[in-house]
mmCIF file of all heavy atoms in Angstrom:
data_model
loop_
_atom_site.group_PDB
_atom_site.id
_atom_site.type_symbol
_atom_site.label_atom_id
_atom_site.label_comp_id
_atom_site.label_asym_id
_atom_site.label_seq_id
_atom_site.Cartn_x
_atom_site.Cartn_y
_atom_site.Cartn_z
ATOM 1 N N ASP A 29 -208.365 148.157 -89.921
ATOM 2 C CA ASP A 29 -208.623 147.675 -88.566
ATOM 3 C C ASP A 29 -207.611 146.611 -88.163
ATOM 4 O O ASP A 29 -207.144 146.566 -87.027
ATOM 5 C CB ASP A 29 -210.040 147.108 -88.467
ATOM 6 C CG ASP A 29 -211.085 148.202 -88.552
ATOM 7 O OD1 ASP A 29 -210.739 149.386 -88.314
ATOM 8 O OD2 ASP A 29 -212.251 147.879 -88.846
ATOM 9 N N ASP A 30 -207.247 145.739 -89.154
ATOM 10 C CA ASP A 30 -206.255 144.707 -88.871
ATOM 11 C C ASP A 30 -204.919 145.334 -88.515
ATOM 12 O O ASP A 30 -204.225 144.893 -87.609
ATOM 13 C CB ASP A 30 -206.067 143.780 -90.081
ATOM 14 C CG ASP A 30 -207.254 142.832 -90.264
ATOM 15 O OD1 ASP A 30 -208.036 142.712 -89.309
ATOM 16 O OD2 ASP A 30 -207.376 142.245 -91.353
ATOM 17 N N ASP A 31 -204.557 146.414 -89.267
ATOM 18 C CA ASP A 31 -203.310 147.108 -88.972
ATOM 19 C C ASP A 31 -203.326 147.656 -87.563
ATOM 20 O O ASP A 31 -202.365 147.551 -86.814
ATOM 21 C CB ASP A 31 -203.082 148.260 -89.958
ATOM 22 C CG ASP A 31 -202.668 147.735 -91.338
ATOM 23 O OD1 ASP A 31 -202.264 146.573 -91.405
ATOM 24 O OD2 ASP A 31 -202.756 148.512 -92.300
ATOM 25 N N LYS A 32 -204.438 148.276 -87.188
ATOM 26 C CA LYS A 32 -204.549 148.861 -85.850
ATOM 27 C C LYS A 32 -204.424 147.786 -84.785
ATOM 28 O O LYS A 32 -203.730 147.952 -83.798
ATOM 29 C CB LYS A 32 -205.884 149.593 -85.715
ATOM 30 C CG LYS A 32 -205.985 150.850 -86.566
ATOM 31 C CD LYS A 32 -207.350 151.500 -86.402
ATOM 32 C CE LYS A 32 -207.460 152.759 -87.259
ATOM 33 N NZ LYS A 32 -208.801 153.370 -87.151
ATOM 34 N N VAL A 33 -205.072 146.663 -85.009
ATOM 35 C CA VAL A 33 -205.001 145.577 -84.035
ATOM 36 C C VAL A 33 -203.577 145.050 -83.936
ATOM 37 O O VAL A 33 -203.034 144.852 -82.856
ATOM 38 C CB VAL A 33 -205.963 144.432 -84.424
ATOM 39 C CG1 VAL A 33 -205.728 143.227 -83.533
ATOM 40 C CG2 VAL A 33 -207.407 144.903 -84.297
ATOM 41 N N ASP A 34 -202.930 144.882 -85.118
ATOM 42 C CA ASP A 34 -201.578 144.349 -85.142
ATOM 43 C C ASP A 34 -200.622 145.276 -84.387
ATOM 44 O O ASP A 34 -199.778 144.835 -83.624
ATOM 45 C CB ASP A 34 -201.113 144.171 -86.587
ATOM 46 C CG ASP A 34 -199.686 143.637 -86.666
ATOM 47 O OD1 ASP A 34 -199.426 142.617 -86.040
ATOM 48 O OD2 ASP A 34 -198.859 144.276 -87.322
ATOM 49 N N GLU A 35 -200.752 146.587 -84.595
ATOM 50 C CA GLU A 35 -199.851 147.542 -83.978
ATOM 51 C C GLU A 35 -200.116 147.691 -82.490
ATOM 52 O O GLU A 35 -199.208 147.963 -81.722
ATOM 53 C CB GLU A 35 -199.978 148.907 -84.665
ATOM 54 C CG GLU A 35 -199.443 148.904 -86.093
ATOM 55 C CD GLU A 35 -199.472 150.287 -86.709
ATOM 56 O OE1 GLU A 35 -199.557 151.258 -85.949
ATOM 57 O OE2 GLU A 35 -199.413 150.397 -87.935
ATOM 58 N N SER A 36 -201.338 147.542 -82.051
ATOM 59 C CA SER A 36 -201.660 147.839 -80.660
ATOM 60 C C SER A 36 -201.599 146.626 -79.738
ATOM 61 O O SER A 36 -201.619 146.773 -78.524
ATOM 62 C CB SER A 36 -203.071 148.456 -80.573
ATOM 63 O OG SER A 36 -204.025 147.522 -81.042
ATOM 64 N N THR A 37 -201.517 145.414 -80.312
ATOM 65 C CA THR A 37 -201.530 144.229 -79.454
ATOM 66 C C THR A 37 -200.250 143.403 -79.557
ATOM 67 O O THR A 37 -200.185 142.302 -79.017
ATOM 68 C CB THR A 37 -202.719 143.324 -79.819
ATOM 69 O OG1 THR A 37 -202.569 142.863 -81.171
ATOM 70 C CG2 THR A 37 -204.037 144.060 -79.671
ATOM 71 N N ALA A 38 -199.240 143.933 -80.239
ATOM 72 C CA ALA A 38 -198.021 143.163 -80.455
ATOM 73 C C ALA A 38 -196.929 143.490 -79.442
ATOM 74 O O ALA A 38 -195.761 143.261 -79.704
ATOM 75 C CB ALA A 38 -197.504 143.407 -81.875
ATOM 76 N N HIS A 39 -197.298 144.045 -78.309
ATOM 77 C CA HIS A 39 -196.328 144.451 -77.287
ATOM 78 C C HIS A 39 -195.488 143.244 -76.845
ATOM 79 O O HIS A 39 -196.005 142.249 -76.350
ATOM 80 C CB HIS A 39 -197.068 145.053 -76.087
ATOM 81 C CG HIS A 39 -196.178 145.739 -75.114
ATOM 82 N ND1 HIS A 39 -196.575 146.076 -73.840
ATOM 83 C CD2 HIS A 39 -194.899 146.166 -75.220
ATOM 84 C CE1 HIS A 39 -195.596 146.688 -73.212
ATOM 85 N NE2 HIS A 39 -194.561 146.749 -74.024
ATOM 86 N N ASP A 40 -194.167 143.342 -77.025
ATOM 87 C CA ASP A 40 -193.264 142.235 -76.711
ATOM 88 C C ASP A 40 -192.307 142.660 -75.609
ATOM 89 O O ASP A 40 -191.468 143.535 -75.801
ATOM 90 C CB ASP A 40 -192.474 141.840 -77.964
ATOM 91 C CG ASP A 40 -191.600 140.606 -77.733
ATOM 92 O OD1 ASP A 40 -191.510 140.142 -76.585
ATOM 93 O OD2 ASP A 40 -191.012 140.124 -78.724
ATOM 94 N N THR A 41 -192.411 142.044 -74.452
ATOM 95 C CA THR A 41 -191.574 142.414 -73.310
ATOM 96 C C THR A 41 -190.534 141.338 -72.977
ATOM 97 O O THR A 41 -190.021 141.301 -71.859
ATOM 98 C CB THR A 41 -192.437 142.682 -72.070
ATOM 99 O OG1 THR A 41 -193.192 141.494 -71.759
ATOM 100 C CG2 THR A 41 -193.400 143.830 -72.306
ATOM 101 N N THR A 42 -190.219 140.491 -73.947
ATOM 102 C CA THR A 42 -189.220 139.452 -73.713
ATOM 103 C C THR A 42 -187.890 140.087 -73.315
ATOM 104 O O THR A 42 -187.351 140.916 -74.057
ATOM 105 C CB THR A 42 -189.005 138.606 -74.975
ATOM 106 O OG1 THR A 42 -190.263 138.089 -75.422
ATOM 107 C CG2 THR A 42 -188.048 137.461 -74.705
ATOM 108 N N PRO A 43 -187.340 139.737 -72.167
ATOM 109 C CA PRO A 43 -186.100 140.367 -71.700
ATOM 110 C C PRO A 43 -184.919 140.102 -72.632
ATOM 111 O O PRO A 43 -184.817 139.037 -73.246
ATOM 112 C CB PRO A 43 -185.862 139.717 -70.328
ATOM 113 C CG PRO A 43 -187.207 139.221 -69.909
ATOM 114 C CD PRO A 43 -187.886 138.788 -71.170
ATOM 115 N N TYR A 44 -184.046 141.089 -72.733
ATOM 116 C CA TYR A 44 -182.802 140.956 -73.478
ATOM 117 C C TYR A 44 -181.689 140.692 -72.466
ATOM 118 O O TYR A 44 -181.630 141.330 -71.424
ATOM 119 C CB TYR A 44 -182.490 142.246 -74.249
ATOM 120 C CG TYR A 44 -181.196 142.216 -75.038
ATOM 121 C CD1 TYR A 44 -181.181 141.868 -76.375
ATOM 122 C CD2 TYR A 44 -179.981 142.559 -74.432
ATOM 123 C CE1 TYR A 44 -180.001 141.848 -77.110
ATOM 124 C CE2 TYR A 44 -178.793 142.531 -75.153
ATOM 125 C CZ TYR A 44 -178.804 142.183 -76.485
ATOM 126 O OH TYR A 44 -177.635 142.159 -77.198
ATOM 127 N N SER A 45 -180.839 139.749 -72.764
ATOM 128 C CA SER A 45 -179.745 139.458 -71.840
ATOM 129 C C SER A 45 -178.438 139.376 -72.598
ATOM 130 O O SER A 45 -178.403 139.048 -73.787
ATOM 131 C CB SER A 45 -179.998 138.138 -71.104
ATOM 132 O OG SER A 45 -180.069 137.060 -72.008
ATOM 133 N N PHE A 46 -177.340 139.724 -71.922
ATOM 134 C CA PHE A 46 -176.033 139.599 -72.525
ATOM 135 C C PHE A 46 -175.068 138.997 -71.510
ATOM 136 O O PHE A 46 -175.313 139.009 -70.307
ATOM 137 C CB PHE A 46 -175.501 140.949 -73.026
ATOM 138 C CG PHE A 46 -175.607 142.075 -72.034
ATOM 139 C CD1 PHE A 46 -174.826 142.112 -70.882
ATOM 140 C CD2 PHE A 46 -176.486 143.125 -72.266
ATOM 141 C CE1 PHE A 46 -174.915 143.158 -69.984
ATOM 142 C CE2 PHE A 46 -176.589 144.169 -71.373
ATOM 143 C CZ PHE A 46 -175.796 144.192 -70.224
ATOM 144 N N ASN A 47 -173.983 138.471 -72.027
ATOM 145 C CA ASN A 47 -172.969 137.864 -71.175
ATOM 146 C C ASN A 47 -172.128 138.976 -70.552
ATOM 147 O O ASN A 47 -171.467 139.729 -71.262
ATOM 148 C CB ASN A 47 -172.086 136.924 -72.004
ATOM 149 C CG ASN A 47 -170.953 136.334 -71.193
ATOM 150 O OD1 ASN A 47 -170.994 136.293 -69.968
ATOM 151 N ND2 ASN A 47 -169.921 135.872 -71.887
ATOM 152 N N GLN A 48 -172.149 139.083 -69.231
ATOM 153 C CA GLN A 48 -171.383 140.136 -68.571
ATOM 154 C C GLN A 48 -170.010 139.661 -68.131
ATOM 155 O O GLN A 48 -169.227 140.446 -67.576
ATOM 156 C CB GLN A 48 -172.149 140.694 -67.379
ATOM 157 C CG GLN A 48 -172.374 139.726 -66.234
ATOM 158 C CD GLN A 48 -173.266 140.326 -65.158
ATOM 159 O OE1 GLN A 48 -174.457 140.539 -65.392
ATOM 160 N NE2 GLN A 48 -172.696 140.604 -63.998
ATOM 161 N N GLY A 49 -169.674 138.396 -68.404
ATOM 162 C CA GLY A 49 -168.350 137.896 -68.118
ATOM 163 C C GLY A 49 -167.933 138.156 -66.679
ATOM 164 O O GLY A 49 -168.670 137.859 -65.740
ATOM 165 N N VAL A 50 -166.744 138.729 -66.512
ATOM 166 C CA VAL A 50 -166.228 139.021 -65.172
ATOM 167 C C VAL A 50 -166.660 140.393 -64.683
ATOM 168 O O VAL A 50 -166.290 140.812 -63.593
ATOM 169 C CB VAL A 50 -164.680 138.946 -65.163
ATOM 170 C CG1 VAL A 50 -164.206 137.558 -65.516
ATOM 171 C CG2 VAL A 50 -164.084 139.978 -66.121
ATOM 172 N N PHE A 51 -167.456 141.083 -65.507
ATOM 173 C CA PHE A 51 -167.916 142.413 -65.117
ATOM 174 C C PHE A 51 -168.893 142.318 -63.950
ATOM 175 O O PHE A 51 -169.619 141.336 -63.808
ATOM 176 C CB PHE A 51 -168.625 143.094 -66.292
ATOM 177 C CG PHE A 51 -167.692 143.737 -67.285
ATOM 178 C CD1 PHE A 51 -166.519 143.105 -67.676
ATOM 179 C CD2 PHE A 51 -167.987 144.965 -67.838
ATOM 180 C CE1 PHE A 51 -165.660 143.691 -68.596
ATOM 181 C CE2 PHE A 51 -167.141 145.567 -68.754
ATOM 182 C CZ PHE A 51 -165.976 144.919 -69.141
ATOM 183 N N PRO A 52 -168.974 143.361 -63.125
ATOM 184 C CA PRO A 52 -169.988 143.389 -62.062
ATOM 185 C C PRO A 52 -171.375 143.557 -62.674
ATOM 186 O O PRO A 52 -171.509 143.750 -63.895
ATOM 187 C CB PRO A 52 -169.590 144.620 -61.235
ATOM 188 C CG PRO A 52 -168.875 145.502 -62.211
ATOM 189 C CD PRO A 52 -168.114 144.559 -63.107
ATOM 190 N N ASP A 53 -172.408 143.487 -61.865
ATOM 191 C CA ASP A 53 -173.761 143.668 -62.390
ATOM 192 C C ASP A 53 -173.888 145.046 -63.037
ATOM 193 O O ASP A 53 -173.418 146.046 -62.488
ATOM 194 C CB ASP A 53 -174.789 143.532 -61.271
ATOM 195 C CG ASP A 53 -174.893 142.102 -60.753
ATOM 196 O OD1 ASP A 53 -174.518 141.183 -61.507
ATOM 197 O OD2 ASP A 53 -175.328 141.915 -59.607
ATOM 198 N N PRO A 54 -174.512 145.111 -64.211
ATOM 199 C CA PRO A 54 -174.643 146.397 -64.910
ATOM 200 C C PRO A 54 -175.636 147.330 -64.233
ATOM 201 O O PRO A 54 -176.468 146.897 -63.435
ATOM 202 C CB PRO A 54 -175.149 145.976 -66.297
ATOM 203 C CG PRO A 54 -175.895 144.700 -66.039
ATOM 204 C CD PRO A 54 -175.117 144.002 -64.957
ATOM 205 N N SER A 55 -175.534 148.606 -64.566
ATOM 206 C CA SER A 55 -176.438 149.619 -64.001
ATOM 207 C C SER A 55 -177.547 149.940 -64.998
ATOM 208 O O SER A 55 -177.543 150.991 -65.642
ATOM 209 C CB SER A 55 -175.641 150.889 -63.650
ATOM 210 O OG SER A 55 -174.612 150.615 -62.735
ATOM 211 N N ILE A 56 -178.480 149.028 -65.160
ATOM 212 C CA ILE A 56 -179.614 149.225 -66.068
ATOM 213 C C ILE A 56 -180.715 149.969 -65.319
ATOM 214 O O ILE A 56 -181.111 149.554 -64.227
ATOM 215 C CB ILE A 56 -180.162 147.880 -66.581
ATOM 216 C CG1 ILE A 56 -179.043 147.044 -67.206
ATOM 217 C CG2 ILE A 56 -181.303 148.112 -67.564
ATOM 218 C CD1 ILE A 56 -178.449 147.626 -68.442
ATOM 219 N N PRO A 57 -181.223 151.080 -65.854
ATOM 220 C CA PRO A 57 -182.292 151.827 -65.169
ATOM 221 C C PRO A 57 -183.517 150.953 -64.922
ATOM 222 O O PRO A 57 -183.928 150.182 -65.786
ATOM 223 C CB PRO A 57 -182.613 152.961 -66.153
ATOM 224 C CG PRO A 57 -181.367 153.122 -66.966
ATOM 225 C CD PRO A 57 -180.809 151.740 -67.109
ATOM 226 N N ASP A 58 -184.094 151.078 -63.747
ATOM 227 C CA ASP A 58 -185.269 150.273 -63.406
ATOM 228 C C ASP A 58 -186.451 150.559 -64.316
ATOM 229 O O ASP A 58 -187.310 149.692 -64.525
ATOM 230 C CB ASP A 58 -185.674 150.535 -61.948
ATOM 231 C CG ASP A 58 -184.677 149.944 -60.961
ATOM 232 O OD1 ASP A 58 -183.979 148.975 -61.323
ATOM 233 O OD2 ASP A 58 -184.582 150.463 -59.827
ATOM 234 N N ASP A 59 -186.524 151.768 -64.855
ATOM 235 C CA ASP A 59 -187.657 152.134 -65.697
ATOM 236 C C ASP A 59 -187.397 151.892 -67.185
ATOM 237 O O ASP A 59 -188.184 152.309 -68.039
ATOM 238 C CB ASP A 59 -188.044 153.600 -65.477
ATOM 239 C CG ASP A 59 -186.942 154.571 -65.889
ATOM 240 O OD1 ASP A 59 -185.788 154.120 -66.089
ATOM 241 O OD2 ASP A 59 -187.226 155.774 -65.999
#
Side-chain angles (χ1 to χ4, degrees):
D29 290 340
D30 286 345
D31 286 343
K32 291 179 180 178
V33 171
D34 179 53
E35 291 185 19
S36 62
T37 63
H39 191 195
D40 185 353
T41 59
T42 306
Y44 179 94
S45 61
F46 48 69
N47 176 21
Q48 65 186 68
V50 298
F51 278 41
D53 291 338
S55 302
I56 306 295
D58 289 335
D59 64 346

